[in-house]
């Protein structure tokens, strides 16, 4: 179980770093997650689409570097013509698939499922 938790934490840290959502250090004390304090909900927050607040299934990236789930941002762009975060002009053609992030989220989900089965 601890090995799975270590892998989950490492994947979550990579995803946070990729998305620019690293955990911060407060007064010299690292708030990084240890195996004993692993919090599934907290770790999943880094993988949520800013629009839907659901784990991204098909992440795409805007030219400004923000990631969204494809369906959520396409629905947004059907009504609006700008990024919901930067307010910069944005079209569906500007979106690029985030294959590495998708793979990391999928692997994280599979490891989490494995951890739950082994409890």
């Amino acid at each position: 179980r601890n090995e799975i938790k270590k892998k989950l934490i490492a994947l979550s840290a990579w995803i946070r770093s990729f998305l620019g959502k690293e955990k911060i250090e407060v007064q010299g004390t690292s708030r990084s997650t240890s195996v004993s304090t692993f919090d599934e909900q907290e770790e999943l927050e880094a993988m949520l689409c800013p629009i839907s607040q659901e784990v991204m299934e098909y992440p795409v990236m805007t030219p400004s570097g923000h990631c969204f789930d494809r369906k959520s941002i396409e629905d947004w762009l059907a009504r609006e013509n700008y990024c919901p975060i930067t307010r910069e002009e944005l079209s569906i053609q500007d979106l690029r698939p985030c294959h590495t992030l998708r793979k990391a989220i999928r692997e994280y989900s599979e490891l989490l499922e494995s951890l739950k089965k082994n409890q």
Side-chain angles (χ1 to χ4, degrees), residues 25-42:
E25 221 176 88
V26 180
Q27 297 177 350
T29 305
S30 175
R31 292 180 58 212
S32 62
T33 306
S34 70
V35 172
S36 61
T37 61
F38 176 74
D39 181 346
E40 171 188 339
Q41 196 59 38
E42 182 181 338

Side-chain angles (χ1 to χ4, degrees), residues 100-114:
T100 305
L101 179 58
R102 181 176 181 211
K103 181 180 176 189
I105 292 172
R106 187 179 314 142
E107 187 175 342
Y108 182 93
S109 298
E110 290 169 359
L111 282 168
L112 189 59
E113 195 61 36
S114 173

Side-chain angles (χ1 to χ4, degrees), residues 14-57:
W14 182 90
I15 291 167
R16 285 179 181 280
S17 176
F18 182 85
L19 294 172
K21 297 180 181 180
E22 295 93 349
K23 291 185 179 184
I24 57 171
E25 221 176 88
V26 180
Q27 297 177 350
T29 305
S30 175
R31 292 180 58 212
S32 62
T33 306
S34 70
V35 172
S36 61
T37 61
F38 176 74
D39 181 346
E40 171 188 339
Q41 196 59 38
E42 182 181 338
E43 299 305 316
L44 280 173
E45 285 178 17
M47 300 169 223
L48 300 181
C49 171
I51 297 171
S52 68
Q53 292 300 301
E54 294 180 11
V55 175
M56 292 182 276
E57 189 174 347

Side-chain angles (χ1 to χ4, degrees), residues 78-119:
R79 300 181 313 274
E80 308 290 347
N81 67 344
Y82 59 88
C83 173
I85 294 177
T86 64
R87 303 282 196 219
E88 294 173 3
E89 190 173 313
L90 184 66
S91 72
I92 289 175
Q93 291 78 20
D94 296 325
L95 304 174
R96 297 292 172 253
C98 244
H99 300 294
T100 305
L101 179 58
R102 181 176 181 211
K103 181 180 176 189
I105 292 172
R106 187 179 314 142
E107 187 175 342
Y108 182 93
S109 298
E110 290 169 359
L111 282 168
L112 189 59
E113 195 61 36
S114 173
L115 180 65
K116 289 178 180 179
K117 285 180 184 177
N118 291 326
Q119 286 183 342

